[in-house]
């Protein structure tokens, strides 16, 4: 469990597909300061590795951008390019 | 307008037929139905593929496919649309995706069906992992439309 | 590759499914199926239409649809195609035409399916006569694609 | 029965849809001189009316042109613009 400090935002972070496999986890909770962006959420969840340019981000199940600020309780997802459908 | 993501194998043509029959408001009004079915092949990028696992982002997937369907209905005069997508473990010849569109005229049906498939492939949160003789691998990118 | 002109009502999705299942050479090879179904509406050009008679040039029709299918197979990499067309007297909601195309990739399937429909509408020897409340009339021209 | 004269070509002529209804027949046999074109076949079958520009022509079940010469035993068809399919 992450420590809940005053002013901190609790965010649920999810990783999918090859990215989740590489990081060795699919879900983690992090605390970030108020005003933190999605990119800051990545840094809190994956310390020491910059957010790869090819990774897509979603906030509360809608596509978003790394510079988007997050709110308390958000679900932030990181995933590789999608490969659904067929043909 | 319907969207469904399923772990169960489905028969796209029977699903399409059953959905159409269930929609009384279509009767007598639609002149054009365009449909696309994507099916798992037993080869990809030169290798034999024995099976495949489709991961998705449950929740976001459905929301995203519904938003796509709504955008298509704003852009073209459509009477209805249906999207089915398989997830989980698939074998060769298993249908993966069905996109069907009903409209009064064929231009709208063709264009909206193709647009929905391109949008789905490039934006819906699905990921394929193939099992080949040498192990499993994530598919890195889709073929261009 | 199959072409059929029929006076009997047909269920396009069951026909498509049965044809696909009967073609062993498709198994594992096709990734994309694009299909179009044209259905009789109960209105046209602002009038209620109660029934319709489709005349055709028996012999030339089949020959022409087969030539179209061959041209499509030369122009795109297709695995198979199916064209069914109804003739005789039709009622609203009756399927009129089915065009289906199988290929490895979706671009070929979409493009060939649409091309076949446009070719069929503009060149295959079929003529529609509609029955409305005020009598019957030959349809003079098709809607643009 | 048309008279079969030496050097004459026997041609089977067909009319479809609105054109056939307007002319009051769907099939007729005509004899034309050797070297006659499809347009000449029309004139023999529908005396006194020029071939309408909107009418399509087929020779032996393939699209053709009014200037195309015919051969003995040909089937020549005249019909209005086609209106198959749906949608």
């Amino acid at each position: 469990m992450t420590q809940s400090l005053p002013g901190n935002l609790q965010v649920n972070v999810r990783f999918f597909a090859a990215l989740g496999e590489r990081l060795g986890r699919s879900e983690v909770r992090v605390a970030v300061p108020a005003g933190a962006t999605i990119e800051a959420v990545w840094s809190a969840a994956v310390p020491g590795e910059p957010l790869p340019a090819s990774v897509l981000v979603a906030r509360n199940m809608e596509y978003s951008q790394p510079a988007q600020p997050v709110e308390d309780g958000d679900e932030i997802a990181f995933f590789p390019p999608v490969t659904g459908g067929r043909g | 307008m319907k969207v469904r993501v399923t772990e169960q194998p489905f028969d796209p043509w029977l699903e399409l037929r059953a959905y159409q029959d269930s929609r009384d408001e279509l009767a007598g009004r639609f002149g054009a139905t365009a449909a696309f079915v994507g099916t798992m092949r037993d080869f990809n990028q030169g290798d034999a593929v024995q099976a495949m696992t489709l991961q998705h982002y449950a929740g976001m997937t459905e929301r995203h496919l519904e938003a796509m369907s709504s955008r298509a209905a704003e852009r073209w005069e459509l009477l209805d649309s249906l999207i089915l997508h398989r997830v989980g473990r698939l074998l060769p010849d298993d249908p993966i995706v069905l996109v069907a569109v009903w409209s009064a005229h064929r231009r709208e049906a063709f264009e909206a069906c193709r647009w929905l498939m391109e949008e789905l492939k490039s934006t819906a949160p699905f990921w394929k992992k193939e099992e080949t003789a040498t192990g499993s691998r994530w598919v890195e990118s889709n073929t261009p439309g």
Side-chain angles (χ1 to χ4, degrees), chain B residues 1-128:
Chain B
M1 202 174 99
K2 182 177 161 185
V3 156
R4 186 157 63 90
V5 177
T6 174
E7 293 204 28
Q8 302 304 315
F10 65 90
D11 185 312
W13 310 115
L14 292 187
E15 293 275 356
L16 195 170
R17 189 168 173 271
Y19 180 73
Q20 179 176 291
D21 288 349
S22 74
R23 303 282 288 160
D24 289 339
E25 52 274 57
L26 286 175
R29 296 178 61 211
F30 71 101
T33 312
F36 179 87
V37 171
T39 303
M40 189 185 157
R41 293 180 303 167
D42 58 12
F43 63 97
N44 192 29
Q45 297 170 351
D47 296 316
V49 178
Q50 292 149 356
M52 186 171 85
T53 301
L54 255 162
Q55 196 187 93
H56 78 128
Y57 185 174
M60 178 168 172
T61 311
E62 291 82 351
R63 189 184 292 206
H64 190 79
L65 297 178
E66 280 162 14
M68 279 171 38
S69 303
S70 297
R71 279 206 300 281
E74 284 162 19
R75 189 161 158 189
W76 290 278
E77 259 189 70
L78 305 181
L79 294 165
D80 211 343
S81 66
L82 171 64
I83 301 179
L84 300 183
H85 204 294
R86 179 84 180 279
V87 292
R89 189 158 188 274
L90 284 80
L91 298 175
D93 280 334
D94 277 4
I96 303 173
V97 59
L98 163 69
V99 172
V101 169
W102 289 263
S103 61
H105 299 289
R106 70 190 184 285
R107 187 181 65 78
E108 286 84 350
F110 273 124
E111 290 185 6
C113 183
R114 188 164 186 182
W115 182 83
L116 282 169
M117 259 310 291
E118 298 304 324
E119 278 291 293
L120 186 156
K121 292 209 62 147
S122 59
T123 65
F126 295 102
W127 302 275
K128 286 199 201 90

Side-chain angles (χ1 to χ4, degrees), chain A:
Chain A
M1 286 298 289
T2 338
Q3 201 71 27
S4 184
L5 302 174
N8 264 17
L9 312 176
Q10 296 287 330
V11 175
N12 194 40
V13 181
R14 303 185 65 179
F15 305 103
F16 286 91
L19 179 64
E21 272 192 8
R22 178 167 72 78
L23 298 175
R25 57 209 164 140
S26 61
E27 195 156 5
V28 62
R29 284 188 71 81
V30 299
V32 289
T37 63
I38 288 180
E39 189 156 20
V41 169
W42 168 273
S43 298
V46 190
E49 177 181 334
L51 175 60
S54 65
V55 165
L56 301 172
V57 300
R59 176 173 170 250
N60 299 328
M61 300 189 174
E62 288 187 8
Y63 278 104
S64 190
Q65 294 298 330
Q68 169 71 39
V70 300
E71 291 180 17
D72 191 52
D74 275 0
E75 172 164 299
I76 304 299
F78 299 97
F79 47 80
V82 303
T83 54
R86 171 71 270 169

